[in-house]
Amino acid sequence: MRLQSGPRREDARPGVWSMWDLAAVLLVLGVLVLLAQASRGLMQPLPEAGFGGITLDPSALPDYAARTSLRMLAAMVLSLVFTFTYATWAAKSRRAEQVLIPLLDILQSVPILGFISVTVVFFMSLAPGKMLGAELAAVFAIFTSQAWNMAFSFYQSLRTVPKELSEASRSFRLNPWMRFWKLEAPFAMPALVWNMMMSMSGGWFFVVASEAISVGDTTVALPGIGSYIALAIAERDLSAIGWAIGTMLIVILIYDQLLFRPLVAWADRFRFEQESSTGPARSWVLSVLRRSRIVSVAVAPLAAAWHWTYQVAPSVKETARPEAETALTGRGWLDHLWTATIVAACIYVSWEIGIFVLAGVTPSEAGTTVLLGVATMVRVTVLIALASIIWVPIGVWIGLRPGAVRIAQPIVQFLAAFPANLLFPLAVSAIVVLQLNPDIWLSPLMILGTQWYILFNVIAGASTIPSELRDIGANLGVRGWLWWRRIALPAVFPFYMTGAITASGGSWNASIVAEIASWGDTTLRAHGLGAYITDATDAGDFPRIVLGIAVMSAFVVIINRVFWRPLYAYAERKFRLG
């Protein structure tokens, strides 16, 4: 078994200048022009309140698409930095894990409107009256729709590195820095790349809330596809919505070709095992960069500097396995002090939240909010179960076929990125005409974007099933339900757990979009916590915003602690490779 593929045969040849160098230069210059075009005007004054600076003219969509793409890319970079630091700390430190993973559950459950409502004033104050403050608020809002999924995926991968590979790294006396970049990060990379694609799609799903910011009296509509969609919905302009869908499709395809397909092809060399009969994933962009001598010369100093860090990183002498060390330290007095500190901090924060909320909300309304949370929980539970039944078999089938993966990848990206707002015309019209119950028929909008977390993770898990395991099953004649029970489901179960946990938290988050659907002057509401938070945010009612976020976070954390985390630990213990 191996983590890296053999030498690349398409590397640049020294002393040879070719068309690949020209193509690489054009690609780099094109990216720089895009960044310059999209980032202009950051220090310009804010546009007038509302949609005064937004037009539904389709000719404005290329500029809007460039601006939205830059915000997505900036948020993705921040999400990667967050993932490599936060998830690694949680995976390496048991005490940090006790705080960081529950905190990640809470952060994932906080609706994007919750983040916007408490941060928009801060970001706007950094550049008063300028576009920069609103841009930072939008990028942060998009970041909150991307980072949690990536962090969960990376954390799960670091916790499931095969034991024989960890033992080999200790035998070679790799210091912690080398072990992370030579073993742990490569092992986690295939799943992380898939979750990066999913997170990018999650950003598109909430692009309307990120760019058309409205909190109480503060209303900002940034030039972008999200504001374009919000204005089209307000004016009931179906043709504008069609133009927005077409633009989104083009942008997603460009992202797929220029960013994600090269990343998938590059990460393929880090698969735990690669079947010899299966051709590696390919990307024309990656081929151009690899064959270009200019690129190889430009990155050579960076590569040398990076390898230098391996030499200067401090070595840590290990005398026991991490598991043994954890068992030894787990009985110390320091653990009891750490636990007591966490409990005291939680009690203090809960007390402060209670004082703030009850200053503007009666206890009876707080009880009603809990009941609204129960209604949203029922929707999330039913929808996650249905999505699992549908997408786990399909994901396994796709993941075992590299050709199907290449076809499905951009399709799933587009479907995952499809904002629920764009279905409001159809949903509102159908519910009104057919006299349907909004409490039931608005529910599918909650799972519209989050169901793909399950599919993406199952595809990633199925694609990493070692060929030896498949060959043994074929030789022993393992078929039908026995094959699913003994081979397929155990192999993808850790990946499914990551997708299901993220989809569950994402569905709670999506309730702010799905439980209130508007089309022009017609607005439908489902009884639930998402609608409660949306109404409070529109009114700028901070005690009710905090109450709604606190109740939603409590539901998500309790469900994760009682149900998802025990399953996650079981998957980590029972079904890890190796």
Side-chain angles (χ1 to χ4, degrees), residues 94-95 320-333 335:
R94 185 178 58 81
R95 292 191 184 98
R321 289 187 177 184
E323 294 86 348
E325 294 174 349
T326 299
L328 291 174
T329 59
R331 293 188 292 269
W333 64 270
D335 278 344

Side-chain angles (χ1 to χ4, degrees), residues 471-517:
D471 292 340
I472 290 173
N475 292 336
L476 296 178
V478 180
R479 299 183 181 86
W481 171 242
L482 183 62
W483 180 84
W484 282 95
R485 188 162 57 91
R486 294 296 186 184
I487 296 177
L489 293 180
V492 304
F493 192 61
F495 295 85
Y496 165 77
M497 290 308 305
T498 300
I501 292 173
T502 311
S504 176
S507 296
W508 281 91
N509 203 327
S511 66
I512 64 171
V513 177
E515 291 183 345
I516 293 184

Side-chain angles (χ1 to χ4, degrees), residues 190 194 268 271 273-274 395-396 398-401 405 457-466 470 492 495:
W194 277 98
D268 187 71
R271 288 178 57 186
E273 184 278 334
Q274 181 165 299
V396 171
I398 294 174
L400 294 177
R401 294 161 177 81
V405 171
N457 279 277
V458 172
I459 291 175
S463 65
T464 61
I465 297 178
R470 285 179 274 171
V492 304
F495 295 85

Side-chain angles (χ1 to χ4, degrees), residues 198-246:
M198 189 67 247
S199 294
M200 182 67 78
S201 298
W204 280 105
F205 188 84
F206 290 106
V207 70
V208 174
S210 303
E211 294 182 346
I213 301 172
S214 179
V215 180
D217 297 331
T218 303
T219 302
V220 179
L222 294 172
I225 295 180
S227 296
Y228 185 93
I229 293 172
L231 181 59
I233 291 173
E235 297 189 359
R236 304 175 68 121
D237 192 332
L238 286 174
S239 63
I241 288 180
W243 282 108
I245 293 174

